[in-house]
Amino acid sequence: MDRVPNGPSGDDSRSAPPGDAALRRDIRRLGDLLGQTLVRQESQDLLDAVEAVRVLTKRAQTGEDSAARELATRLAAVDLPTAMNMVRAFATYFHLANIAEQVDRAAHLAERPEDADWLVAAMDAVVAERGAPALTTSLSRLSVRPVYTAHPTEASRRTALLKLREIADALIAYRAKPSARTERQRDRRLAEIIESMWQSDDLRVDQPTVADEARNMLFFVDGLLEETVPKLLADMADEAERRGAYLPATARPLVFGNWIGGDRDGNPNVSPETTIEILVMQHAVGIRGLIAMVSECVDEVSMSTKLVGVTPALAASLERDLATLEIEDRIRRLNVEEPYRLKLSCVRQRLNNTRERIAARRPHRPGHDYLGREELLEDLMLIKESLQANKGELIARGALARLIRTASAFGLQVATMDVREHSDAHHHVLAQLADRASGVPGEYAARSRPERLAWLSGELAGRRPLTPTPPPLDADGTRTFDTFRAIRTAKEWFGQEVIESYIVSMTQGADDLLAAAVIAREAGLVDLATDAGRSARADIGFVPLLETVEELRSAGTILDELLSAPAYRQIVEARGGVQEVMLGYSDSNKDAGITTSQWEIHRAQRVLRDTAARHNIQLRLFHGRGGSVGRGGGPTHEAILAQPFGTLSGAIKVTEQGEVISDKYLLPALARENLELTIAAVLEASALHTKARTGEAELLEYDATMTRISDAAFAAYRGLVDDPRLPTYFAQSTPVEQLGALKIGSRPSKRPDSGLGLAGLRAIPWVFGWTQSRQIVPGWYGVGTGLRSALDAGQGDLLRAMYERWHFFRTFISNVEMMCKKTRMDIAENYVEALVDPALHPIFDLIKAEYARTVAAVLEITGESELLEAQPTLKRTLEVRDRYLDPISYLQLSMLARIRAGDTDPDLQRALLLAVNGVAAGLRNTG
């Protein structure tokens, strides 16, 4: 037990930056405790083997060929039980190192001066350039919406996340009060948790259901509701007031969204019943949190009518509540002269009634329970206004103000659900209904897009119903139609805000959106009849999802056709004059490569901005970014600031998924930092980035150069993915076939009826496979060819100027640089040599050559001598992680080779999945 006192972390904690002594101490201690756990639970021999492999890996990283050969040979010969334990040991270290780094980041944030906060800087910039009134206007328009999706990219079980949160709590507690006693308490608690982690299964026993995915999402949202967001919103209001500005009490600068239970595209497990089930779960969490905050307010507002008065409006409201609600006699008696407490007790009772009603699936009873956020806020604002009118201004700014702001942000449902379905599903419904109405089979399907658009526009504007009740549809059509009926039911039970957007994936024309709108009309969600003085009604908005390069290039045409259809324009006006458009990063990357994907999304935003301005409507962009750079990921703050000028007017939606969620939101301090970063970027971009930062001539030159780069990169990328040998190479050189067995999501990894090949493969397994084998092709392939085309044309100085002065280009290059650093061609080469048919090795030669081109071009533009030279902390972190990641990769490789040689041992399959999980933990994303 004492032969390797530093455990599996060895001396790698010394790689932390100078001055990070606490981080080095935490990593070293966690490593020691893990080593002790390995000895207690397994053997000293296992710990010795782990340490020997780590030392060999470190030597191999320095370029020592003999060490690399010895490492590969040793790991290939390891027996299966030892291999499984070694993978688990290295993967556990990753989790422990990750959480130690997060704790340290949180500690540094706590030490940062208040005037260094991102929001403070953004507010100061707005006031300096445009004045305090402009800050008030900008804050009132802010609507930042992180949207949690069900995409299966979080390999860690919730059990593991809970244990990591407990480890963080133990580390934080010791940092807050270091002493010999608290150190002993910390070590004892850490040892308990690490031992529990070792005895817990790293793999899911069964495929998670949609409800399981919702519970994972609510685990994070619950923490935001309880701790992070109330404080953040209060600080925003305080900082605005200090600058002579104002954040309205019921403003919603931050609103959370959710796809889980609403995303039907390709997921047969999401049914109309599932949608209602998830919304019930969301309300249980939201109402529980609000009840706790109301109870806190009850303790605070003890004002007596013997000393202060109340407004007539509050008195009348309280009288109605006491006549309607079942309030305990004890509360009525004790608080008879404390109207604020009585009113809040009534609010609490109505929240309890709402929770019981929703759990029992009963309809809303006015005055007895709440139907959505507005009714609750109406009660709370009555209390606030009465306090302000009766010398209680300071009291109104305390717990009550925090409750009002929190209720405004979360509502009762904690997150607003989006519903998504494929465009083909709607045409499938309408083909049956339209052909029945016309009596001509196949007539609808035979129409061209322009003909279909004209027909749908007429139907949407008309009064003729297409459907009897129930509608005569096949099983697939009924499922789609029932989705719209479930939305209507949800709004009747939970309120209008519970579902706002209906997203149509694979939108290729305006008719794809109008088809969904016509079905919504049939289901009672849209009513454009304006006779008898009625206003048009649209209970949901319709959102085109532009996913492929072709769709992105058609963005302006699609939006123009939509807004030019009078009936659809009525829907937009009924929704407040706002049109949301979603941009798909994942599929465009898989379709065209990272360069063309990023450039076409940037250009599409410009065109959408200009089209929306011509039609005098507000554009809200929804960025469908994945966790990895290959799926549109990367630093959100930089991505927002890199958007074209004028595309932001306060509102934005951004998907959050996979390991990104746990990395951002597991610890309250980091959750606060990430939300603040996003809000600050949106505030700054909306208020200040309203015109181009560069001159028109300069921007035209940048555009032309970027188009040259994109065209060359696209040709190179398509040259790779169109190679008929690539599907076989991809399957042989990566563990993509094991993704389904990992059970990390409820959605299938291939699109239904997609057949063989890469076309039907979703973007997530596409990125997953390349990442696991360390080739990471989606993160950089084609970039080298693209940049080299400009460099060879004598545009080197221009590219360096673009890197210095154009935010979009700098962000693009920075993300590619990071992915190149994560790529390991030496590891990948081992996969290829051991697993891939030699006839396919020329494909790897293409990949290696393009990687070398990309690295060389990036360094030539940045002026660095090696990747991430300007980011030494990130560079050091990635290099240290590789010392633990490389052994898992070698073990994974040997296991894959055995399986493909015909070994069907179930333990081998399990060991391979553990290795896949370990690589995901080390790289912090699966896809």
Side-chain angles (χ1 to χ4, degrees), residues 549 553 588 592-601 710-711 713-714:
V549 166
R553 289 172 176 167
S588 61
I594 187 170
T595 309
T596 302
S597 168
Q598 296 285 302
W599 181 228
E600 293 300 338
I601 287 172
S710 174
D711 290 346
F714 177 80

Side-chain angles (χ1 to χ4, degrees), residues 371-427:
L371 184 67
R373 174 180 64 98
E374 291 297 336
E375 291 184 0
L376 171 61
L377 288 175
E378 185 179 333
D379 274 349
L380 298 178
M381 290 302 291
L382 277 176
I383 299 171
K384 178 177 183 286
E385 289 159 3
S386 181
L387 285 168
Q388 290 174 328
N390 291 277
K391 301 181 180 179
E393 294 91 344
L394 295 180
I395 300 164
R397 295 174 60 171
L400 179 63
R402 289 193 295 276
L403 170 59
I404 290 171
R405 294 191 188 282
T406 304
S408 297
F410 288 96
L412 306 184
Q413 76 274 14
V414 300
T416 300
M417 182 180 285
D418 289 341
V419 173
R420 180 174 78 138
E421 182 57 279
H422 197 286
S423 57
D424 288 348
H426 310 120
H427 292 304

Side-chain angles (χ1 to χ4, degrees), residues 1 11 18 60 125 180 183 212 217 233 284 292 295 319 352 460 464 486 524 545-546 560 645 673 790 792 859 906:
M1 184 169 177
D11 59 358
E183 183 175 17
D212 293 331
M217 178 269 292
L233 295 177
S295 297
E319 184 178 353
N352 275 314
L460 193 57
R464 176 183 71 160
L545 169 49
L546 310 176
D560 184 65
F645 74 89
E673 172 77 354
D792 289 348
L859 294 178

Side-chain angles (χ1 to χ4, degrees), residues 19 48 55 75 141 148 238 257 277 334 425 493 530 563 573 588 851 865:
D48 291 343
V55 171
L75 291 177
R141 292 176 178 170
Y148 297 106
D238 179 59
E277 177 190 3
L334 292 176
W493 284 0
T530 55
L563 298 176
E573 296 297 342
S588 61
Y851 177 74
S865 59

Side-chain angles (χ1 to χ4, degrees), residues 11-319:
D11 59 358
D12 289 326
S13 62
R14 297 184 194 133
S15 295
D20 284 346
L23 174 59
R24 294 199 299 274
R25 178 200 64 209
D26 287 348
I27 291 179
R28 189 181 301 116
R29 192 63 190 132
L30 289 168
D32 290 348
L33 293 170
L34 175 58
Q36 293 167 20
T37 298
L38 297 182
V39 173
R40 281 196 309 273
Q41 298 293 311
E42 306 300 335
S43 68
Q44 178 70 45
D45 289 343
L46 174 63
L47 178 58
D48 291 343
V50 167
E51 178 62 10
V53 166
R54 188 195 66 80
V55 171
L56 268 178
T57 307
K58 189 174 181 180
R59 285 169 48 199
Q61 277 188 330
T62 65
E64 192 177 321
D65 291 340
S66 60
R69 287 192 298 272
E70 183 181 349
L71 179 65
T73 302
R74 176 183 289 216
L75 291 177
V78 169
D79 63 85
L80 193 55
T82 302
M84 291 176 68
N85 281 331
M86 291 182 76
V87 167
R88 294 191 65 212
F90 285 119
T92 302
Y93 170 79
F94 281 133
H95 289 304
L96 296 176
N98 285 347
I99 200 66
E101 288 176 4
Q102 289 179 327
V103 167
D104 193 65
R105 280 159 52 198
H108 284 301
L109 290 173
E111 296 168 356
R112 186 174 63 189
E114 288 184 2
D115 58 4
D117 285 350
W118 297 98
L119 264 174
V120 168
M123 287 186 184
D124 284 342
V126 174
V127 172
E129 189 165 326
R130 297 188 55 199
L135 177 58
T136 296
T137 301
S138 297
L139 288 172
S140 65
R141 292 176 178 170
L142 265 184
S143 179
V144 174
R145 185 173 296 182
V147 180
Y148 297 106
T149 78
H151 291 325
T153 54
E154 171 64 89
S156 299
R157 295 177 60 206
R158 186 159 62 110
T159 296
L161 296 176
L162 287 168
K163 294 183 189 303
L164 292 173
R165 176 63 191 267
E166 291 174 352
I167 285 175
D169 291 341
L171 294 174
I172 291 168
Y174 174 72
R175 285 190 180 216
K177 190 178 180 182
S179 70
R181 175 181 294 174
T182 57
E183 183 175 17
R184 289 194 302 273
Q185 293 171 341
R186 178 203 66 185
D187 287 354
R188 184 164 56 246
R189 183 63 184 136
L190 290 175
E192 292 168 3
I193 301 168
I194 293 171
E195 190 160 287
S196 176
M197 289 176 68
W198 188 257
Q199 293 187 2
S200 300
D201 196 349
D202 300 288
L203 301 175
R204 292 181 173 90
V205 175
D206 197 9
Q207 201 82 20
T209 65
V210 179
D212 293 331
E213 292 173 331
R215 290 186 189 95
N216 283 346
M217 178 269 292
L218 291 170
F219 166 72
F220 293 103
V221 173
D222 196 21
L224 295 171
L225 170 63
E226 178 182 341
E227 185 172 356
T228 306
V229 172
K231 182 69 165 60
L232 173 58
L233 295 177
D235 288 348
M236 283 184 67
D238 179 59
E239 293 295 344
E241 185 177 357
R242 286 181 57 216
R243 287 156 181 80
Y246 174 63
L247 178 67
T250 56
R252 307 184 78 193
L254 186 62
V255 182
F256 292 91
N258 172 41
W259 273 21
I260 302 167
D263 183 9
R264 285 154 168 72
D265 181 13
N267 191 345
N269 300 305
V270 179
S271 66
E273 295 74 21
T274 305
T275 299
I276 300 298
E277 177 190 3
I278 302 309
L279 289 172
V280 170
M281 291 170 61
Q282 290 183 204
H283 279 78
V285 170
I287 293 172
R288 184 184 67 218
L290 291 172
I291 287 174
M293 295 189 74
V294 170
S295 297
E296 181 186 350
C297 288
V298 168
D299 294 337
E300 189 168 299
V301 290
S302 58
M303 287 68 71
S304 170
T305 51
K306 288 183 177 179
L307 302 174
V308 294
V310 297
T311 59
L314 178 60
S317 172
L318 179 56
E319 184 178 353

Side-chain angles (χ1 to χ4, degrees), residues 67 95 98 124 139 242 300 356 401 437 474 479 508 602 706 807 816 827 853 886 905:
H95 289 304
N98 285 347
D124 284 342
L139 288 172
R242 286 181 57 216
E300 189 168 299
E356 292 171 5
D474 63 15
R479 180 176 180 272
Q508 298 176 332
H602 189 81
M706 194 63 214
H807 215 130
V816 168
I827 297 289
R853 257 191 306 274
D886 288 2
D905 186 341

